[in-house]
Protein backbone atom coordinates (compact mmCIF):
# COMPACT_ATOMS: atom_id res chain seq x y z
CA UNK A 1 0.00 0.00 0.00
CA UNK A 2 1.35 3.39 -0.96
CA UNK A 3 1.22 5.85 1.88
CA UNK A 4 -0.60 9.02 0.93
CA UNK A 5 -1.23 12.09 3.03
CA UNK A 6 -2.87 15.38 2.27
CA UNK A 7 -2.78 18.94 3.49
CA UNK A 8 -6.17 20.56 2.97
CA UNK A 9 -6.18 24.30 3.55
CA UNK A 10 -9.11 26.51 2.63
CA UNK A 11 -7.74 29.31 0.44
CA UNK A 12 -9.58 31.97 2.42
CA UNK A 13 -6.43 33.48 3.90
CA UNK A 14 -2.69 33.04 4.24
CA UNK A 15 -1.19 29.99 5.89
CA UNK A 16 -0.27 30.58 9.51
CA UNK A 17 2.29 28.80 11.62
CA UNK A 18 -0.30 26.28 12.84
CA UNK A 19 -1.27 25.15 9.33
CA UNK A 20 2.35 25.20 8.25
CA UNK A 21 3.12 22.73 11.01
CA UNK A 22 0.30 20.43 9.86
CA UNK A 23 1.47 20.67 6.25
CA UNK A 24 5.02 19.89 7.31
CA UNK A 25 4.06 16.82 9.34
CA UNK A 26 1.95 15.43 6.49
CA UNK A 27 4.80 15.96 4.08
CA UNK A 28 7.46 14.55 6.42
CA UNK A 29 5.44 11.43 7.16
CA UNK A 30 4.84 10.77 3.45
CA UNK A 31 8.53 11.36 2.70
CA UNK A 32 9.67 9.03 5.42
CA UNK A 33 7.36 6.27 4.20
CA UNK A 34 8.29 6.78 0.56
CA UNK A 35 4.69 7.85 -0.04
CA UNK A 36 2.96 10.77 -1.70
CA UNK A 37 1.75 14.10 -0.38
CA UNK A 38 -1.25 15.88 -1.87
CA UNK A 39 -2.09 19.56 -1.61
CA UNK A 40 -5.88 19.67 -1.55
CA UNK A 41 -7.47 23.07 -1.80
CA UNK A 42 -10.72 23.09 0.15
CA UNK A 43 -12.29 25.83 -1.94
CA UNK A 44 -15.98 24.94 -1.81
CA UNK A 45 -16.76 28.36 -0.36
CA UNK A 46 -16.87 30.41 -3.55
CA UNK A 47 -17.32 33.70 -1.76
CA UNK A 48 -14.38 33.45 0.58
CA UNK A 49 -11.91 31.42 -1.49
CA UNK A 50 -9.51 33.69 -3.40
CA UNK A 51 -7.08 32.86 -6.17
CA UNK A 52 -4.45 35.11 -4.57
CA UNK A 53 -4.49 32.85 -1.51
CA UNK A 54 -4.13 29.75 -3.66
CA UNK A 55 -1.03 31.30 -5.21
CA UNK A 56 0.28 32.35 -1.81
CA UNK A 57 -0.24 28.87 -0.32
CA UNK A 58 1.70 27.28 -3.16
CA UNK A 59 4.48 29.84 -2.84
CA UNK A 60 4.73 29.50 0.94
CA UNK A 61 4.98 25.71 0.76
CA UNK A 62 7.61 25.96 -1.97
CA UNK A 63 9.63 28.43 0.11
CA UNK A 64 9.58 25.97 2.99
CA UNK A 65 10.76 23.19 0.67
CA UNK A 66 7.44 21.36 0.88
CA UNK A 67 6.69 20.19 -2.66
CA UNK A 68 3.37 18.40 -3.16
CA UNK A 69 3.33 15.38 -5.43
CA UNK A 70 -0.05 16.48 -6.75
CA UNK A 71 -2.71 19.11 -6.27
CA UNK A 72 -6.48 18.77 -6.11
CA UNK A 73 -9.24 21.35 -5.87
CA UNK A 74 -12.63 20.71 -4.39
CA UNK A 75 -14.21 23.34 -6.65
CA UNK A 76 -13.56 21.08 -9.64
CA UNK A 77 -15.27 18.09 -8.01
CA UNK A 78 -18.83 19.28 -7.42
CA UNK A 79 -20.26 16.70 -9.84
CA UNK A 80 -18.61 13.95 -7.91
CA UNK A 81 -20.01 15.21 -4.58
CA UNK A 82 -23.48 15.34 -6.14
CA UNK A 83 -23.15 11.76 -7.31
CA UNK A 84 -22.12 10.39 -3.94
CA UNK A 85 -24.63 12.55 -2.08
CA UNK A 86 -27.33 10.98 -4.25
CA UNK A 87 -26.20 7.52 -3.12
CA UNK A 88 -26.53 8.52 0.51
CA UNK A 89 -29.93 10.05 -0.15
CA UNK A 90 -31.14 6.82 -1.73
CA UNK A 91 -29.85 4.73 1.15
CA UNK A 92 -31.47 7.10 3.65
CA UNK A 93 -28.20 8.23 5.21
CA UNK A 94 -28.91 11.89 4.50
CA UNK A 95 -32.18 13.65 5.14
CA UNK A 96 -33.68 17.05 4.50
CA UNK A 97 -34.36 19.40 7.37
CA UNK A 98 -36.21 22.71 7.34
CA UNK A 99 -35.58 24.35 10.68
CA UNK A 100 -34.42 27.93 10.48
CA UNK A 101 -31.35 29.07 12.38
CA UNK A 102 -33.62 30.72 14.96
CA UNK A 103 -35.66 27.57 15.45
CA UNK A 104 -32.53 25.53 15.99
CA UNK A 105 -31.22 28.12 18.39
CA UNK A 106 -34.42 27.99 20.39
CA UNK A 107 -34.29 24.17 20.55
CA UNK A 108 -30.75 24.33 21.89
CA UNK A 109 -31.69 26.86 24.54
CA UNK A 110 -34.60 24.73 25.71
CA UNK A 111 -32.36 21.64 25.94
CA UNK A 112 -29.67 23.54 27.82
CA UNK A 113 -32.36 24.96 30.12
CA UNK A 114 -33.36 21.38 30.98
CA UNK A 115 -29.75 20.53 31.67
CA UNK A 116 -29.47 18.40 28.53
CA UNK A 117 -26.72 18.48 25.92
CA UNK A 118 -27.81 20.56 22.89
CA UNK A 119 -27.79 17.64 20.45
CA UNK A 120 -30.04 17.93 17.38
CA UNK A 121 -33.35 16.20 18.21
CA UNK A 122 -33.82 14.75 14.71
CA UNK A 123 -37.14 16.56 14.44
CA UNK A 124 -36.81 16.55 10.65
CA UNK A 125 -36.92 12.74 10.56
CA UNK A 126 -40.52 12.87 11.77
CA UNK A 127 -41.74 15.13 8.99
CA UNK A 128 -44.50 13.61 6.88
CA UNK A 129 -44.47 13.90 3.10
CA UNK A 130 -47.26 16.45 3.23
CA UNK A 131 -45.41 18.58 5.82
CA UNK A 132 -42.39 18.55 3.54
CA UNK A 133 -44.59 19.47 0.57
CA UNK A 134 -46.01 22.38 2.60
CA UNK A 135 -42.55 23.69 3.43
CA UNK A 136 -41.52 23.48 -0.20
CA UNK A 137 -44.73 25.21 -1.28
CA UNK A 138 -43.97 28.00 1.21
CA UNK A 139 -40.63 28.40 -0.58
CA UNK A 140 -38.61 26.93 2.27
CA UNK A 141 -35.55 25.06 1.06
CA UNK A 142 -34.07 22.05 2.79
CA UNK A 143 -30.65 21.82 4.26
CA UNK A 144 -29.29 18.28 4.58
CA UNK A 145 -28.07 16.28 7.50
CA UNK A 146 -26.04 13.11 7.62
CA UNK A 147 -27.82 10.47 9.68
CA UNK A 148 -25.45 8.95 12.19
CA UNK A 149 -25.96 5.27 12.95
CA UNK A 150 -26.64 5.23 16.69
CA UNK A 151 -26.11 1.48 16.85
CA UNK A 152 -22.60 1.66 15.48
CA UNK A 153 -20.02 2.70 18.10
CA UNK A 154 -17.28 4.91 16.71
CA UNK A 155 -13.79 3.72 17.49
CA UNK A 156 -10.34 4.23 16.15
CA UNK A 157 -6.77 4.06 17.34
CA UNK A 158 -5.33 7.47 16.79
CA UNK A 159 -1.62 7.48 15.97
CA UNK A 160 -1.10 10.27 18.51
CA UNK A 161 -4.05 10.11 20.91
CA UNK A 162 -4.35 6.35 21.16
CA UNK A 163 -7.72 4.59 21.47
CA UNK A 164 -10.68 6.85 20.79
CA UNK A 165 -14.29 6.08 21.46
CA UNK A 166 -17.43 8.10 20.65
CA UNK A 167 -21.06 7.28 21.27
CA UNK A 168 -22.85 8.47 18.11
CA UNK A 169 -26.08 8.98 20.06
CA UNK A 170 -24.39 11.88 21.84
CA UNK A 171 -23.50 13.63 18.57
CA UNK A 172 -25.75 15.79 16.40
CA UNK A 173 -26.40 14.60 12.88
CA UNK A 174 -24.17 17.08 11.09
CA UNK A 175 -25.48 19.49 8.47
CA UNK A 176 -23.55 18.62 5.33
CA UNK A 177 -25.28 20.82 2.77
CA UNK A 178 -26.86 24.24 2.99
CA UNK A 179 -30.22 25.45 1.67
CA UNK A 180 -28.54 26.94 -1.40
CA UNK A 181 -26.99 23.57 -2.28
CA UNK A 182 -23.46 24.55 -1.18
CA UNK A 183 -21.34 22.02 0.71
CA UNK A 184 -20.07 22.16 4.23
CA UNK A 185 -16.64 20.70 4.92
CA UNK A 186 -17.59 17.26 6.22
CA UNK A 187 -18.81 15.21 3.24
CA UNK A 188 -16.62 16.50 0.37
CA UNK A 189 -13.56 15.92 2.53
CA UNK A 190 -14.55 12.29 3.16
CA UNK A 191 -15.32 11.70 -0.53
CA UNK A 192 -11.93 13.16 -1.46
CA UNK A 193 -10.08 11.08 1.09
CA UNK A 194 -11.70 7.97 -0.42
CA UNK A 195 -11.24 8.92 -4.08
CA UNK A 196 -7.68 10.06 -3.58
CA UNK A 197 -6.73 6.95 -1.63
CA UNK A 198 -5.55 8.93 1.37
CA UNK A 199 -4.09 6.45 3.83
CA UNK A 200 -3.26 8.82 6.70
CA UNK A 201 -5.17 11.91 7.79
CA UNK A 202 -2.93 14.13 9.88
CA UNK A 203 -4.55 17.24 11.30
CA UNK A 204 -5.14 19.27 14.43
CA UNK A 205 -7.01 17.87 17.42
CA UNK A 206 -9.76 20.41 16.79
CA UNK A 207 -10.89 17.91 14.14
CA UNK A 208 -11.33 14.94 16.48
CA UNK A 209 -15.13 15.29 16.63
CA UNK A 210 -15.25 15.67 12.83
CA UNK A 211 -13.31 12.44 12.52
CA UNK A 212 -15.91 10.63 14.62
CA UNK A 213 -18.60 11.69 12.14
CA UNK A 214 -16.45 11.09 9.06
CA UNK A 215 -15.68 7.54 10.16
CA UNK A 216 -19.38 6.81 9.89
CA UNK A 217 -19.40 8.45 6.46
CA UNK A 218 -16.60 6.16 5.25
CA UNK A 219 -18.63 3.23 6.61
CA UNK A 220 -21.82 4.47 4.94
CA UNK A 221 -19.98 4.19 1.62
CA UNK A 222 -18.58 0.80 2.55
CA UNK A 223 -15.06 2.22 2.36
CA UNK A 224 -12.11 1.47 4.60
CA UNK A 225 -11.21 4.29 6.98
CA UNK A 226 -7.77 5.85 6.77
CA UNK A 227 -5.48 6.07 9.79
CA UNK A 228 -5.81 9.24 11.81
CA UNK A 229 -3.27 11.31 13.69
CA UNK A 230 -4.61 14.32 15.56
CA UNK A 231 -1.88 16.54 16.81
CA UNK A 232 -2.08 18.74 19.86
CA UNK A 233 -2.56 22.37 19.01
CA UNK A 234 0.08 25.02 18.84
CA UNK A 235 0.20 27.67 21.55
CA UNK A 236 2.32 30.73 22.18
CA UNK A 237 4.72 31.15 25.09
CA UNK A 238 1.87 32.52 27.19
CA UNK A 239 0.33 29.05 26.88
CA UNK A 240 -2.69 30.15 24.90
CA UNK A 241 -3.74 30.06 21.29
CA UNK A 242 -2.86 33.62 20.49
CA UNK A 243 -4.22 35.88 17.80
CA UNK A 244 -0.68 36.68 16.85
CA UNK A 245 0.12 33.05 16.02
CA UNK A 246 -3.02 32.91 13.92
CA UNK A 247 -1.64 35.62 11.69
CA UNK A 248 2.03 34.72 11.76
CA UNK A 249 3.04 33.17 8.46
CA UNK A 250 5.80 32.95 5.92
CA UNK A 251 5.60 36.71 5.25
CA UNK A 252 6.36 37.44 8.91
CA UNK A 253 9.20 34.93 9.02
CA UNK A 254 10.79 36.43 5.94
CA UNK A 255 10.54 39.91 7.39
CA UNK A 256 12.41 38.69 10.43
CA UNK A 257 15.05 37.00 8.28
CA UNK A 258 14.18 33.54 9.51
CA UNK A 259 15.40 30.84 7.15
CA UNK A 260 12.96 28.17 5.96
CA UNK A 261 15.27 25.49 7.40
CA UNK A 262 14.86 27.06 10.86
CA UNK A 263 11.06 26.98 10.77
CA UNK A 264 11.14 23.42 9.53
CA UNK A 265 13.58 22.35 12.26
CA UNK A 266 11.46 23.99 14.95
CA UNK A 267 8.03 22.86 13.78
CA UNK A 268 9.27 19.32 13.17
CA UNK A 269 10.14 18.92 16.83
CA UNK A 270 8.05 21.13 19.14
CA UNK A 271 5.38 19.13 20.87
CA UNK A 272 7.42 15.93 20.49
CA UNK A 273 9.74 14.17 22.91
CA UNK A 274 12.68 14.85 20.58
CA UNK A 275 14.72 17.96 21.33
CA UNK A 276 14.63 20.99 19.05
CA UNK A 277 18.02 20.89 17.36
CA UNK A 278 19.76 22.98 14.72
CA UNK A 279 19.39 20.53 11.87
CA UNK A 280 19.57 22.21 8.48
CA UNK A 281 19.24 19.01 6.47
CA UNK A 282 15.54 18.23 6.28
CA UNK A 283 16.09 14.55 5.48
CA UNK A 284 17.71 14.09 8.89
CA UNK A 285 14.52 15.47 10.44
CA UNK A 286 12.40 13.28 8.18
CA UNK A 287 14.31 10.20 9.33
CA UNK A 288 13.55 10.94 12.98
CA UNK A 289 9.87 11.71 12.35
CA UNK A 290 7.58 9.40 14.33
CA UNK A 291 4.02 9.91 15.62
CA UNK A 292 4.99 7.94 18.72
CA UNK A 293 7.16 10.88 19.74
CA UNK A 294 4.24 13.32 19.66
CA UNK A 295 2.78 14.34 23.01
CA UNK A 296 -0.77 15.22 23.97
CA UNK A 297 0.19 18.54 25.53
CA UNK A 298 0.05 21.64 23.32
CA UNK A 299 3.19 22.42 21.33
CA UNK A 300 4.75 25.68 22.42
CA UNK A 301 5.91 28.10 19.77
CA UNK A 302 8.50 30.52 21.11
CA UNK A 303 9.81 33.37 18.93
CA UNK A 304 12.98 33.61 20.96
CA UNK A 305 13.69 29.91 20.50
CA UNK A 306 13.13 30.33 16.77
CA UNK A 307 15.53 33.29 16.57
CA UNK A 308 18.24 31.36 18.43
CA UNK A 309 17.71 28.27 16.34
CA UNK A 310 17.85 30.42 13.22
CA UNK A 311 21.26 31.76 14.20
CA UNK A 312 22.60 28.24 14.69
CA UNK A 313 21.09 27.10 11.41
CA UNK A 314 22.65 30.03 9.53
CA UNK A 315 26.02 28.92 10.91
CA UNK A 316 25.44 25.52 9.32
CA UNK A 317 24.39 26.68 5.87
CA UNK A 318 26.71 25.82 3.01
CA UNK A 319 27.72 28.26 0.34
CA UNK A 320 25.45 26.47 -2.12
CA UNK A 321 22.47 26.84 0.23
CA UNK A 322 22.80 30.61 0.31
CA UNK A 323 24.63 31.53 -2.86
CA UNK A 324 21.54 33.06 -4.44
CA UNK A 325 21.04 35.57 -1.67
CA UNK A 326 24.71 36.51 -1.26
CA UNK A 327 26.31 39.58 -2.86
CA UNK A 328 27.44 38.60 -6.37
CA UNK A 329 31.14 38.74 -5.81
CA UNK A 330 31.09 36.94 -2.48
CA UNK A 331 33.07 33.72 -2.70
CA UNK A 332 32.75 30.47 -0.75
CA UNK A 333 35.84 31.51 1.27
CA UNK A 334 34.26 34.85 2.13
CA UNK A 335 31.02 33.12 3.17
CA UNK A 336 32.99 30.81 5.47
CA UNK A 337 34.65 33.84 7.10
CA UNK A 338 31.51 35.89 7.54
CA UNK A 339 29.13 33.08 8.51
CA UNK A 340 30.11 32.61 12.19
CA UNK A 341 29.39 36.30 12.87
CA UNK A 342 25.83 36.32 11.62
CA UNK A 343 22.75 36.48 13.77
CA UNK A 344 20.70 36.19 10.62
CA UNK A 345 21.19 36.56 6.88
CA UNK A 346 20.32 40.26 6.88
CA UNK A 347 23.80 40.93 8.29
CA UNK A 348 25.70 39.45 5.35
CA UNK A 349 25.78 42.70 3.39
CA UNK A 350 27.19 44.60 6.31
CA UNK A 351 30.10 42.18 6.76
CA UNK A 352 30.69 41.97 3.04
CA UNK A 353 31.00 45.71 3.02
CA UNK A 354 33.67 45.43 5.68
CA UNK A 355 35.60 43.37 3.13
CA UNK A 356 34.91 45.47 0.04
CA UNK A 357 34.53 48.92 1.65
CA UNK A 358 33.86 51.66 2.17
CA UNK A 359 34.16 51.29 5.91
CA UNK A 360 33.51 53.82 8.64
CA UNK A 361 36.54 55.43 10.25
CA UNK A 362 37.30 54.35 13.76
CA UNK A 363 38.42 56.72 16.50
CA UNK A 364 41.96 55.82 17.53
CA UNK A 365 43.93 57.07 20.50
CA UNK A 366 47.03 59.09 19.53
CA UNK A 367 49.42 56.34 20.59
CA UNK A 368 47.45 53.84 18.57
CA UNK A 369 47.61 56.07 15.52
CA UNK A 370 51.38 55.97 15.72
CA UNK A 371 51.29 52.25 16.17
CA UNK A 372 49.05 51.85 13.12
CA UNK A 373 51.47 53.96 11.04
CA UNK A 374 54.28 51.69 12.08
CA UNK A 375 52.15 48.63 11.32
CA UNK A 376 51.42 50.01 7.88
CA UNK A 377 55.07 50.38 7.06
CA UNK A 378 55.80 46.85 8.21
CA UNK A 379 52.90 45.41 6.20
CA UNK A 380 54.09 47.20 3.09
CA UNK A 381 57.50 45.56 3.45
CA UNK A 382 56.16 42.02 3.91
CA UNK A 383 55.43 39.63 1.05
CA UNK A 384 51.62 39.19 0.85
CA UNK A 385 50.27 35.71 1.48
CA UNK A 386 47.29 33.83 2.87
CA UNK A 387 49.00 33.79 6.27
CA UNK A 388 49.89 37.47 6.20
CA UNK A 389 48.02 38.32 9.41
CA UNK A 390 50.10 35.92 11.45
CA UNK A 391 53.39 37.06 9.97
CA UNK A 392 52.48 40.72 10.23
CA UNK A 393 51.32 40.58 13.85
CA UNK A 394 54.36 38.57 15.00
CA UNK A 395 56.65 41.06 13.31
CA UNK A 396 54.74 43.86 15.06
CA UNK A 397 54.93 42.12 18.40
CA UNK A 398 58.68 41.95 18.12
CA UNK A 399 59.21 45.51 17.01
CA UNK A 400 56.70 47.24 19.31
CA UNK A 401 56.49 44.91 22.31
CA UNK A 402 52.68 45.12 22.11
CA UNK A 403 50.62 42.00 22.55
CA UNK A 404 47.05 40.85 23.08
CA UNK A 405 44.31 43.43 22.82
CA UNK A 406 46.63 46.42 22.52
CA UNK A 407 48.23 44.78 19.52
CA UNK A 408 45.11 43.49 17.76
CA UNK A 409 42.41 46.02 18.53
CA UNK A 410 43.94 49.10 16.84
CA UNK A 411 44.58 46.99 13.74
CA UNK A 412 41.02 45.69 13.70
CA UNK A 413 39.67 49.22 14.22
CA UNK A 414 41.80 50.69 11.46
CA UNK A 415 41.09 47.87 9.00
CA UNK A 416 37.37 47.38 9.60
CA UNK A 417 36.13 50.48 11.40
CA UNK A 418 34.67 48.15 14.05
CA UNK A 419 35.80 46.71 17.36
CA UNK A 420 34.40 43.25 16.64
CA UNK A 421 33.86 40.95 13.71
CA UNK A 422 35.25 38.00 11.76
CA UNK A 423 38.62 36.49 12.48
CA UNK A 424 41.20 38.98 11.17
CA UNK A 425 43.46 36.18 9.96
CA UNK A 426 40.76 35.18 7.49
CA UNK A 427 39.47 38.66 6.80
CA UNK A 428 42.75 40.28 5.81
CA UNK A 429 43.43 38.05 2.76
CA UNK A 430 39.86 38.70 1.62
CA UNK A 431 40.43 42.47 1.78
CA UNK A 432 43.63 42.24 -0.19
CA UNK A 433 46.84 44.17 0.12
CA UNK A 434 45.86 47.43 -1.56
CA UNK A 435 42.70 47.85 0.36
CA UNK A 436 44.38 47.00 3.67
CA UNK A 437 47.20 49.51 3.09
CA UNK A 438 44.76 52.21 2.04
CA UNK A 439 42.70 51.75 5.14
CA UNK A 440 45.76 51.86 7.38
CA UNK A 441 46.96 55.00 5.63
CA UNK A 442 43.67 56.82 5.45
CA UNK A 443 43.17 56.38 9.08
CA UNK A 444 46.52 57.84 9.85
CA UNK A 445 46.44 60.72 7.38
N1 LIG B 1 -10.07 22.57 5.21
C1 LIG B 1 -10.03 21.93 6.48
C2 LIG B 1 -9.34 22.85 7.48
O1 LIG B 1 -8.57 23.68 7.06
C3 LIG B 1 -9.29 20.63 6.35
C4 LIG B 1 -9.29 19.78 7.54
C5 LIG B 1 -8.77 18.40 7.22
O2 LIG B 1 -7.55 18.23 7.23
O3 LIG B 1 -9.56 17.54 6.92
O4 LIG B 1 -9.59 22.78 8.66
Amino acid sequence: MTIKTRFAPSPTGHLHVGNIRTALHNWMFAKKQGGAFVLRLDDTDKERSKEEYVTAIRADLAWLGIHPDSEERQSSRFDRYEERFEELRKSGRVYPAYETAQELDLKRKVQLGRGKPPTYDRGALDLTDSEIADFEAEGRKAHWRFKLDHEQAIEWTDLIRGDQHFDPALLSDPVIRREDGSWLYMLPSTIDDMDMNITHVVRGEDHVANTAVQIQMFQAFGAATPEFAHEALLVGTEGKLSKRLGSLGVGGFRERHIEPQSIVALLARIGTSDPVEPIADVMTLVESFDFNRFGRAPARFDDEELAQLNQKIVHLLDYDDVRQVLPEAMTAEAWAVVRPNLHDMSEVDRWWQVVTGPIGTAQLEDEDREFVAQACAILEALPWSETIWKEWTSALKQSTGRKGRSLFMPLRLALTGLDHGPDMGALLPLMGRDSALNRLKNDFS
Side-chain angles (χ1 to χ4, degrees):
M1 184 182 58
T2 312
I3 298 295
K4 208 166 176 191
T5 62
R6 87 295 194 280
F7 170 54
S10 301
T12 54
H14 288 281
L15 296 183
H16 57 73
V17 58
N19 338 112
I20 291 172
R21 175 169 169 256
T22 304
L24 179 69
H25 293 164
N26 273 286
W27 177 80
M28 289 177 84
F29 181 70
K31 263 259 159 316
K32 177 160 184 193
Q33 305 292 326
F37 166 73
V38 183
L39 169 62
R40 189 186 84 200
L41 296 157
D42 281 5
D43 56 351
T44 53
D45 186 335
K46 288 180 186 156
E47 292 289 301
R48 293 176 56 228
S49 299
K50 299 253 170 354
E51 213 44 41
E52 64 176 284
Y53 294 128
V54 170
T55 311
I57 288 169
R58 290 189 193 122
D60 286 356
L61 293 179
W63 184 75
L64 289 157
I66 300 176
H67 302 290
D69 296 292
S70 59
E71 184 181 301
E72 301 279 355
R73 294 185 78 139
Q74 292 197 322
S75 57
S76 65
R77 291 175 46 78
F78 289 132
D79 289 350
R80 178 62 176 156
Y81 304 147
E82 202 67 54
E83 197 176 289
R84 300 240 77 182
F85 171 77
E86 208 41 45
E87 288 174 37
L88 292 181
R89 204 178 60 79
K90 286 196 182 119
S91 63
R93 288 305 296 272
V94 294
Y95 60 94
Y98 292 86
E99 294 96 339
T100 61
Q102 288 90 327
E103 284 165 351
L104 288 172
D105 202 37
L106 190 64
K107 282 189 188 194
R108 276 193 291 268
K109 284 193 178 128
V110 171
Q111 284 167 304
L112 287 171
R114 292 188 186 142
K116 289 191 176 155
T119 315
Y120 178 59
D121 65 3
R122 293 188 154 178
L125 280 179
D126 300 329
L127 292 175
T128 61
D129 287 350
S130 79
E131 282 171 322
I132 291 181
D134 287 349
F135 280 140
E136 296 281 340
E138 268 173 38
R140 278 216 207 187
K141 288 248 179 292
H143 57 270
W144 292 81
R145 288 187 186 262
F146 176 74
K147 189 177 165 198
L148 289 165
D149 179 353
H150 286 184
E151 306 311 314
Q152 175 94 44
I154 300 167
E155 274 157 1
W156 79 93
T157 302
D158 195 279
L159 296 175
I160 294 172
R161 299 166 63 85
D163 287 343
Q164 303 290 296
H165 177 92
F166 279 80
D167 178 356
L170 301 179
L171 303 174
S172 293
D173 288 341
V175 176
I176 54 162
R177 199 170 189 182
R178 300 186 187 87
E179 285 77 3
D180 63 1
S182 63
W183 300 101
L184 280 115
Y185 152 77
M186 213 70 100
L187 184 63
S189 179
T190 308
I191 296 173
D192 288 349
D193 288 339
M194 289 187 297
D195 286 354
M196 293 162 200
N197 299 315
I198 299 301
T199 60
H200 292 75
V201 172
V202 181
R203 55 190 177 192
E205 67 182 13
D206 51 331
H207 282 286
V208 167
N210 290 340
T211 296
V213 167
Q214 288 179 325
I215 283 181
Q216 283 216 346
M217 290 182 174
F218 284 106
Q219 290 166 345
F221 286 113
T225 48
E227 300 276 350
F228 290 94
H230 291 93
E231 43 192 25
L233 298 183
L234 197 66
V235 296
T237 36
E238 63 284 4
K240 285 189 303 212
L241 259 178
S242 68
K243 254 205 177 138
R244 200 184 61 77
L245 281 192
S247 60
L248 179 61
V250 166
F253 293 135
R254 296 184 79 152
E255 257 166 43
R256 287 162 48 201
H257 307 286
I258 301 288
E259 302 307 305
Q261 291 93 334
S262 311
I263 299 161
V264 166
L266 185 78
L267 295 182
R269 292 281 178 85
I270 50 174
T272 77
S273 53
D274 288 326
V276 171
E277 294 171 299
I279 298 175
D281 171 36
V282 71
M283 285 319 286
T284 307
L285 292 166
V286 165
E287 281 315 313
S288 70
F289 185 86
D290 186 348
F291 287 123
N292 286 326
R293 320 286 291 175
F294 280 64
R296 298 276 305 260
R300 260 169 209 268
F301 177 85
D302 180 352
D303 283 300
E304 193 43 46
E305 186 177 21
L306 178 60
Q308 284 172 16
L309 184 68
N310 187 57
Q311 181 173 4
K312 291 183 189 145
I313 295 260
V314 165
H315 295 174
L316 293 172
L317 296 178
D318 290 328
Y319 181 58
D320 283 339
D321 296 330
V322 290
R323 200 179 193 145
Q324 274 161 351
V325 297
L326 296 181
E328 270 244 27
M330 196 166 171
T331 58
E333 291 73 38
W335 167 244
V337 171
V338 163
R339 188 173 72 166
N341 293 276
L342 302 174
H343 292 96
D344 62 52
M345 291 298 287
S346 70
E347 296 172 347
V348 171
D349 288 348
R350 190 162 70 93
W351 289 121
W352 183 235
Q353 201 183 333
V354 168
V355 173
T356 57
I359 55 158
T361 358
Q363 292 301 321
L364 290 174
E365 303 290 329
D366 282 348
E367 54 184 47
D368 286 342
R369 291 162 81 89
E370 263 169 49
F371 165 69
V372 167
Q374 226 177 323
C376 182
I378 291 182
L379 184 63
E380 228 164 351
L382 284 172
W384 189 261
S385 77
E386 284 298 301
T387 51
I388 184 69
W389 173 255
K390 211 165 157 246
E391 285 137 25
W392 183 33
T393 49
S394 30
L396 271 170
K397 204 176 195 174
Q398 290 219 326
S399 60
T400 65
R402 286 199 185 211
K403 56 183 184 187
R405 193 182 156 84
S406 72
L407 170 69
F408 298 120
M409 189 51 77
L411 300 180
R412 179 181 282 284
L413 281 169
L415 286 168
T416 69
L418 298 166
D419 62 5
H420 64 285
D423 169 32
M424 288 303 298
L427 203 55
L428 191 53
L430 287 180
M431 273 177 205
R433 183 173 192 271
D434 292 349
S435 162
L437 289 173
N438 277 339
R439 289 177 190 188
L440 296 170
K441 282 177 189 162
N442 284 350
D443 193 67
F444 186 57
S445 61

